[in-house]
Amino acid sequence: MERTATEAPAVEETAWAGFTPGDWTNSIDVRDFIQKNYTPYEGDASFLAGPTDKTKRLWDHLEENYLSEERKRRVYDVDVDTPADIDAFPAGYISEDDDVIVGLQTDVPLKRAMMPNGGWRMVETAIKEAGKEINPRVKEIFTKYRKTHNDAVFDIYTPRIRAARHSHIITGLPDAYGRGRIIGDYRRVALYGIDKLIADKSATKDSVADKPFSEHWARFREEHSEQIKALKKLKHLGEIYGFDISKPAQTAKEAVQWLYFGYLAAVKSQDGAAMSIGRLSAFLDIYFERDLAAGIITESDAQEMIDNLVMKLRIVRFLRTIDYDQIFSGDPYWATWSDGGFGNDGRTLVTKTSFRLLQTLRNLGPAPEPNITIFWDPALPDGYKEFCAAISIETSSIQYESDAQIRDQWGDDAAIACCVSPMRIGKQMQFFGARVNAAKGLLYAINGGRDEMSGHQVTPEGEFKPVEGDGPLDFDDVWEKYEDMLDWVVQTYVEALNIIHYCHDRYAYEAVEMALHDSEIVRTMGCGIAGLSIVADSLSAIKYAKVYPVRDETGLVVDYRTEGEFPIYGNDDDRADEIAATVVHTIMSKIKAQPMYRDAVPTQSVLTITSNVVYGKATGSFPSGHQKGTPFSPGANPENGMDTHGMVASMLSVGKLDYKDALDGISLTNTITPQGLGRSKEEQVSNLVGIMDAGFIGGDE
């Protein structure tokens, strides 16, 4: 039953009892609610509780009946009859014990749903690879009556884009699956309830009703209509599970459940490359603190709720192809949960729930999802830093970002979408764009646009002049050719991204995620590069040593003979590190020169955490000694095996990359064995904290 306007204040008065009022009570402003009400925690982990018996039974049931079976056959099950939507499936539960935080993507754990709005071909391939039969009626609908995002993209793609995509100089484009990099502010569902969110969106939609027609006017009203429809479906989703989420959450348990329903609606309706959940701990901690003080819950209850929420995040699954899994080295979906850091007022945003989140890695065991990301600063409370380090040593399941850099650029209510991409929650989204193979671009520059693997001319014939002769390569000549080639590569890349996101907005719009955003938001275009260390080392070799090209019978340069020593990126050597920084700056400058769909703000990442293997397979040999077909190093890492001065030196090298040239994030992956940190647990924790503090001094990522 719809709640009347006169009932709303009474409901909110109960739901918000004990909370300090502020701007958040009069408008949608979750950050203000958090800042007015959260309790910073500067103690240690001694208050934490272990898993409850119910949590252990649920996790054991999942392992015995579902997860173990999935590992045997890759895909546990697929619903081939029901196109996914927010409220397309009946209620589903792990077992009869599953009553703490409820909700599954479909009606059975690990059963995957079709999301054909993105593209039918990928869905059909994935269904067949899972050993299932296609429903012919569903295929008919999405090939005959309903145009998909993928169909639209390939209707518009130019021959130049198709050639670059086929040769893998531009690769991993989200033209056949959900784009991701959109973090709905799922906290709004808990704080305000669906009815208030619908009323807000309706009022905003009609606020432009009297303005003259324009494309922006029409799209604004249509998108708001789609968002309102999605919110109504989200409300129905709550009803399917027996909850009335039209009103604000009254308790901590409802807050967790309401928030999760918002996220569940997103993963039921979109298969984005990254489906991050945002920054939740301080928000939820407010409800926990209130209920703990009132004696409504115990610490064990609070931990059980977080354990069960995380359990649900661990069993989200999307219907993907084997090729997709190879690009991303598995089946990740990056439910990134950001935590830690400081507020603009200097108070730490660490709360007891920050500890509870990390405790799930002990209570449930290590796991890649959710992708727990700590915003690190040397000034964080010692107890929290030590607990982070201890859990990292035990589980290898935490990643770290620079709080100072992120907060300075994106504010103190930012979170990571995917791996390293920061954005303001509910006020910003990203047009995700995969990667330019910057390393392959260097080989194209040397070969005049011919692909070193196939020998095919990818760029227009005669547009780019290759390096001539067999003598040592000249740095100035190669750099000039590389810059010219990057103009073509970047223009082609951004054009592809503009097409993809134009089509995605039309045919696979993320209505529920955008319903949990402000009506006017900042859009960024998340560009990225792969192979930075290879480019830096190869250009360093050309500049400081002697590099001789090795040609095949057609004159194509397919290998290199390098004589002499040259500085290597990743060893805190300014000569090589400055080359890397120049490459990042140069590519970003060229990206900024391109027109962007919906006036998006261009950003760049240096990121290949998982796809570095696939990029390497499609790329030839280099002056640096990197061999044809072998994996790239991940992200901004030094070339595999080439960093000889230790972890801190590599962090300092990466720190020389200008964050303003890579506002979408810079990734550095380091591996340390616990034994390498010290003999005792205490020594290992202390040394890891010291390394982190040293690496993040000055706010470098």
Side-chain angles (χ1 to χ4, degrees):
M1 180 181 294
E2 293 287 339
R3 191 179 71 230
T4 65
T6 55
E7 291 174 320
V11 171
E12 290 174 353
E13 184 177 339
T14 303
W16 296 346
F19 295 154
T20 301
D23 292 342
W24 66 271
T25 56
N26 301 312
S27 61
I28 308 297
D29 191 343
V30 178
R31 179 193 175 273
D32 184 63
F33 167 73
I34 294 170
Q35 290 295 314
K36 294 287 196 306
N37 289 282
Y38 86 100
T39 304
Y41 180 66
E42 300 194 4
D44 61 21
S46 58
F47 72 94
L48 288 167
T52 64
D53 289 341
K54 180 178 288 187
T55 296
K56 289 187 284 188
R57 285 197 305 271
L58 277 174
W59 191 242
D60 289 344
H61 185 82
L62 272 172
E63 173 58 35
E64 293 168 10
N65 295 279
Y66 297 101
L67 294 169
S68 62
E69 291 300 313
E70 182 184 56
R71 286 192 289 270
K72 295 175 185 176
R73 54 182 187 260
R74 180 177 167 266
V75 173
Y76 178 79
D77 196 8
V78 181
D79 187 308
V80 299
D81 302 314
T82 312
D85 203 351
I86 293 168
D87 56 353
F89 293 93
Y93 301 90
I94 295 171
S95 69
E96 292 182 358
D97 264 350
D98 187 10
D99 61 1
V100 178
I101 304 300
V102 302
L104 302 177
Q105 277 179 294
T106 57
D107 56 339
V108 175
L110 306 186
K111 182 193 285 187
R112 306 183 190 219
M114 299 179 293
M115 296 189 182
N117 288 339
W120 175 255
R121 283 175 290 181
M122 185 172 182
V123 167
E124 183 170 13
T125 300
I127 289 173
K128 290 179 178 178
E129 289 175 347
K132 300 292 181 178
E133 295 294 326
I134 302 297
N135 182 318
R137 178 58 177 161
V138 176
K139 179 176 181 177
E140 181 183 25
I141 291 169
F142 286 95
T143 57
K144 186 175 181 179
Y145 301 110
R146 210 288 188 184
K147 189 171 186 175
T148 68
H149 161 241
N150 186 248
D151 291 333
V153 167
F154 278 86
D155 281 349
I156 304 174
Y157 266 175
T158 64
R160 181 176 73 250
I161 294 173
R162 288 173 179 264
R165 184 182 187 274
H166 180 74
S167 70
H168 303 289
I169 193 166
I170 300 172
T171 190
L173 292 169
D175 50 21
Y177 57 90
R179 56 189 167 190
R181 302 288 180 87
I182 302 174
I183 308 174
D185 190 355
Y186 306 110
R187 305 167 302 185
R188 296 184 182 191
V189 181
L191 184 57
Y192 297 108
I194 295 298
D195 282 357
K196 185 162 186 171
L197 298 180
I198 290 174
D200 179 73
K201 288 293 181 180
S202 297
T204 303
K205 174 189 173 183
D206 289 338
S207 68
V208 300
D210 296 330
K211 292 187 177 182
F213 178 86
S214 67
E215 184 177 350
H216 174 76
W217 177 91
R219 180 163 54 190
F220 185 88
R221 286 185 56 79
E222 182 183 27
E223 288 184 349
H224 276 71
S225 291
E226 292 300 309
Q227 292 172 23
I228 292 166
K229 291 174 188 176
L231 288 171
K232 290 178 178 178
K233 289 180 181 180
L234 172 53
K235 185 174 174 179
H236 183 225
L237 173 63
E239 293 168 356
I240 289 172
Y241 282 92
F243 293 97
D244 177 10
I245 63 173
S246 65
K247 61 183 183 298
Q250 303 275 319
T251 65
K253 187 173 182 179
E254 285 191 355
V256 178
Q257 182 67 70
W258 273 218
L259 183 154
Y260 173 61
F261 276 141
Y263 183 74
L264 184 60
V267 296
K268 278 175 169 283
S269 57
Q270 285 290 330
D271 62 343
M275 297 294 290
S276 299
I277 198 167
R279 195 167 185 171
L280 312 179
S281 296
F283 174 82
L284 290 176
D285 197 76
I286 296 167
Y287 288 87
F288 286 136
E289 285 292 301
R290 185 179 67 172
D291 284 9
L292 284 164
I296 297 172
I297 62 172
T298 65
E299 178 56 39
S300 183
D301 294 327
Q303 186 64 54
E304 183 180 59
M305 292 178 216
I306 297 298
D307 285 346
N308 276 257
L309 174 59
V310 166
M311 191 185 306
K312 292 300 192 299
L313 299 181
R314 290 188 180 189
I315 59 173
V316 169
R317 296 291 187 272
F318 293 111
L319 183 61
R320 308 290 202 191
T321 63
I322 292 173
D323 282 347
Y324 179 97
D325 288 356
Q326 289 176 345
I327 291 174
F328 293 101
S329 298
D331 191 19
Y333 74 102
W334 286 290
T336 304
W337 183 326
S338 304
D339 211 342
F342 285 88
N344 292 337
D345 61 3
R347 293 183 297 162
T348 180
L349 282 161
V350 172
T351 64
K352 285 188 173 181
T353 300
S354 303
F355 283 78
R356 294 178 185 120
L357 173 63
L358 297 178
Q359 179 74 351
T360 65
L361 293 168
R362 285 179 171 167
N363 289 355
L364 301 176
E369 303 286 3
N371 178 27
I372 297 174
T373 300
I374 306 302
F375 289 179
W376 189 274
D377 187 287
L380 284 172
D382 288 340
Y384 184 63
K385 292 198 298 182
E386 290 166 3
F387 193 56
C388 286
I391 296 294
S392 285
I393 291 167
E394 292 174 23
T395 69
S396 296
S397 297
I398 306 175
Q399 72 171 25
Y400 297 90
E401 301 265 350
S402 166
D403 180 60
Q405 290 279 33
I406 291 169
R407 180 163 33 87
D408 180 63
Q409 189 67 40
W410 309 108
D412 62 3
D413 196 36
I416 300 299
C418 191
C419 308
V420 297
S421 306
M423 58 189 65
R424 292 181 174 91
I425 303 173
K427 300 180 181 300
Q428 182 180 338
M429 61 87 71
Q430 181 192 105
F431 295 138
F432 166 60
R435 309 277 164 257
V436 159
N437 190 334
K440 196 176 184 73
L442 179 62
L443 301 184
Y444 272 36
I446 291 169
N447 279 311
R450 286 181 69 194
D451 189 87
E452 75 286 353
M453 301 290 278
S454 67
H456 295 156
Q457 184 69 41
V458 176
T459 64
E461 188 77 43
E463 184 170 341
F464 299 99
K465 187 177 179 181
V467 168
E468 297 178 346
D470 296 322
L473 297 178
D474 178 75
F475 177 83
D476 292 335
D477 178 55
V478 171
W479 177 257
E480 182 180 357
K481 287 178 166 57
Y482 187 42
E483 277 216 75
D484 289 344
M485 183 58 64
L486 287 175
D487 286 331
W488 182 89
V489 172
V490 167
Q491 180 184 2
T492 305
Y493 177 43
V494 173
E495 185 176 83
L497 296 183
N498 286 335
I499 291 168
I500 288 167
H501 295 296
Y502 166 82
C503 294
H504 209 292
D505 277 349
R506 292 191 66 190
Y507 298 102
Y509 180 65
E510 300 91 340
V512 76
E513 291 168 89
M514 298 311 298
L516 300 174
H517 279 71
D518 292 353
S519 291
E520 292 287 0
I521 62 168
V522 173
R523 292 174 175 85
T524 61
M525 185 68 79
C527 304
I529 59 172
L532 175 63
S533 61
I534 299 172
V535 176
D537 290 349
S538 294
L539 289 171
S540 177
I542 293 168
K543 185 173 184 178
Y544 293 104
K546 292 184 182 297
V547 176
Y548 298 87
V550 178
R551 302 178 185 272
D552 67 8
E553 63 277 5
T554 69
L556 182 72
V557 178
V558 294
D559 205 350
Y560 301 87
R561 179 169 55 86
T562 300
E563 297 179 355
E565 301 294 324
F566 55 94
I568 302 294
Y569 164 74
N571 293 287
D572 195 22
D573 187 317
D574 286 345
R575 294 172 298 170
D577 298 343
E578 286 172 5
I579 292 174
T582 299
V583 170
V584 174
H585 177 75
T586 299
I587 295 176
M588 188 65 234
S589 297
K590 294 180 184 300
I591 290 170
K592 287 180 178 178
Q594 304 301 313
M596 299 286 163
Y597 171 61
R598 295 187 81 163
D599 297 321
V601 178
T603 61
Q604 179 177 215
S605 64
V606 187
L607 168 68
T608 43
I609 287 179
T610 54
S611 52
N612 45 303
V613 175
V614 173
Y615 285 100
K617 287 181 178 178
T619 309
S621 297
F622 286 86
S624 64
H626 185 95
Q627 292 299 302
K628 171 183 175 180
T630 57
F632 289 4
S633 62
N637 274 49
E639 176 69 324
N640 297 321
M642 300 286 273
D643 51 327
T644 58
H645 287 60
M647 178 176 170
V648 173
S650 69
M651 296 173 80
L652 292 173
S653 287
V654 172
K656 295 172 192 174
L657 305 179
D658 191 338
Y659 183 53
K660 292 179 180 178
D661 289 328
L663 289 174
D664 194 36
I666 303 169
S667 168
L668 173 64
T669 305
N670 275 308
T671 300
I672 314 172
T673 62
Q675 294 77 13
L677 289 168
R679 295 181 178 180
S680 68
K681 181 70 174 292
E682 292 75 16
E683 187 179 5
Q684 291 169 4
V685 167
S686 176
N687 286 337
L688 182 54
V689 168
I691 290 171
M692 296 291 293
D693 283 348
F696 283 99
I697 287 174
D700 294 321
E701 290 198 61

